[in-house]
Amino acid sequence: MKYSPNNPILLTSSLHVDEARKAIAQLVNELIAESNAIGDASDTEIVSLDQAINRILAEDLLSPIDVPAADNSAMDGYAFDGKCLGTQSATVSLKMIGTAFAGKPYEGKINPGECLKIMTGAVMPAGCDTVIPQEFTSDQTDTHIEFPQNQLKPGENRRLRGEDLQQGKPAIRAGRLLRPSDLGLAASLGIASLKVKRKLKVAILSSGDELRSLGQTLDAGSIYDSNRHSLTGLLNRLNLEIIDCGIVRDDPTSLKNAFIDAATKADVLISSGGVSVGEADFTKQIMQELGDVGFWKIAMRPGRPMAFGVFKPIAGKSPARKTLFFGLPGNPVAVMVTFYQFVRSALLQLNGANQTEPPIIQAISEAPIRKKPGRTEFQRAILGRNTDGRPTVRLTGSQGAGILRSMSEANCFVILAHDQGNIVAGDWVDVALFDGLL
Ligand code: AMP
Ligand code: MG
């Protein structure tokens, strides 16, 4: 099935979250294919290693060297030829003839009956294939060591050349969202810069007559625009280029001009507000003029209404690309939930990431949770541990879609599946953490 945003199936009164995700992924795939067909050399760039955090690797990184570059010791101990080992408890006695340090290889050869004191990481000297850790020797002096013949097997405690990585083989695959360990790995191979996908340009705007920017005074009935700031925080974690298009009034001309302006500058536009039933009518008309945008009612809480689709390439936009559009609901918590649930993975996918979904873990619910089957719920919660050390969750405060404090105090979502009914205390539930060690 082709998932046009206005496919009647997607406009049903209760679109399953999974169906919405599938439709988004399919449309993003089409955009990628179209973009590849246009071809654009500026889709990648070379950046220095320390600028590459949270960027997406554009091509396989091939190791220019074997790692480790030579056989070396995995322990502090004594290196020797393992031929003297066996199955008996008979004592092996070896003469110690020198020391091998990390970074300072021992040049001589070790003969049977001899050993070398060796430090972790030091190159294995010629004639040695085994290391007995210091603490396993039964006797040691400055000139000789003893240990039982059956204490270890030949080849133990030695790291082989190329054991971690072989020269010419991929050390990191294209599509990796680069994490600190990837930068360390690249550095360990002597690589100082990486080819990454260019930063996506993501425009954000807030719509609503009641909204005021920070620094403005609040007149009666007005509120501060918080959505642009939570979206900026969410997007900054993905190391993207953010184009802030400010606040737009609930007026067709302003809205249309703002959308055109954003779509000229950006690959993706994320707006919030203006998609709920009362307001959707004129936004719908504008968006339909600009492209193919569907107005979905997703079976989820919070975040039921959402507009999604593409704007046609704006005249003069180069390259002539479409703009991916997300019209998120206005409620501050719904914005964050729909971002985590739909937008984040779409942005990663559009930029070529091979892993787009956050991990889900399970925890024990400390208290009952009311839940109606027929919609997916994202409750804000705190993940902790009970006295047995098992993971537990408890919901934070009032769960209204406009109550940002429930989100601010939480560290995770409890995700209650579409068909799930009420939860009783002690049930295991799915949990997605807001932050992770990456
Ligand atoms: P809407 O989807 O435009 O009907 O908005 C739903 C609710 O979210 C209303 O109470 C709005 O005042 C509020 N809201 C919309 N946009 C924002 C925003 N940018 N910051 C804070 N609250 C907002
Ligand atoms: Mg509004």
Side-chain angles (χ1 to χ4, degrees), residues 1 25 98 145 153 185 227 236 265 293-294 358 383 391 393 400 408 438:
M1 179 179 34
I145 61 165
K153 297 199 176 66
L185 178 58
N227 289 345
N236 268 330
K265 296 175 184 158
V293 176
L383 182 73
V393 272
S408 170
L438 278 169

Side-chain angles (χ1 to χ4, degrees), residues 25-80:
Q26 223 175 80
L27 195 81
V28 171
N29 259 340
E30 283 170 28
L31 282 185
I32 294 170
E34 285 172 21
S35 169
N36 288 344
I38 297 172
D40 180 5
S42 68
D43 261 359
T44 61
E45 61 178 318
I46 310 264
V47 295
S48 74
L49 212 49
D50 297 333
Q51 301 297 313
I53 191 72
N54 291 337
R55 301 291 295 269
I56 292 160
L57 189 65
E59 60 186 16
D60 285 354
L61 183 73
L62 304 181
S63 178
I65 53 172
D66 282 331
V67 180
D71 293 1
N72 66 77
S73 177
M75 307 288 273
D76 287 344
Y78 304 90
F80 61 99

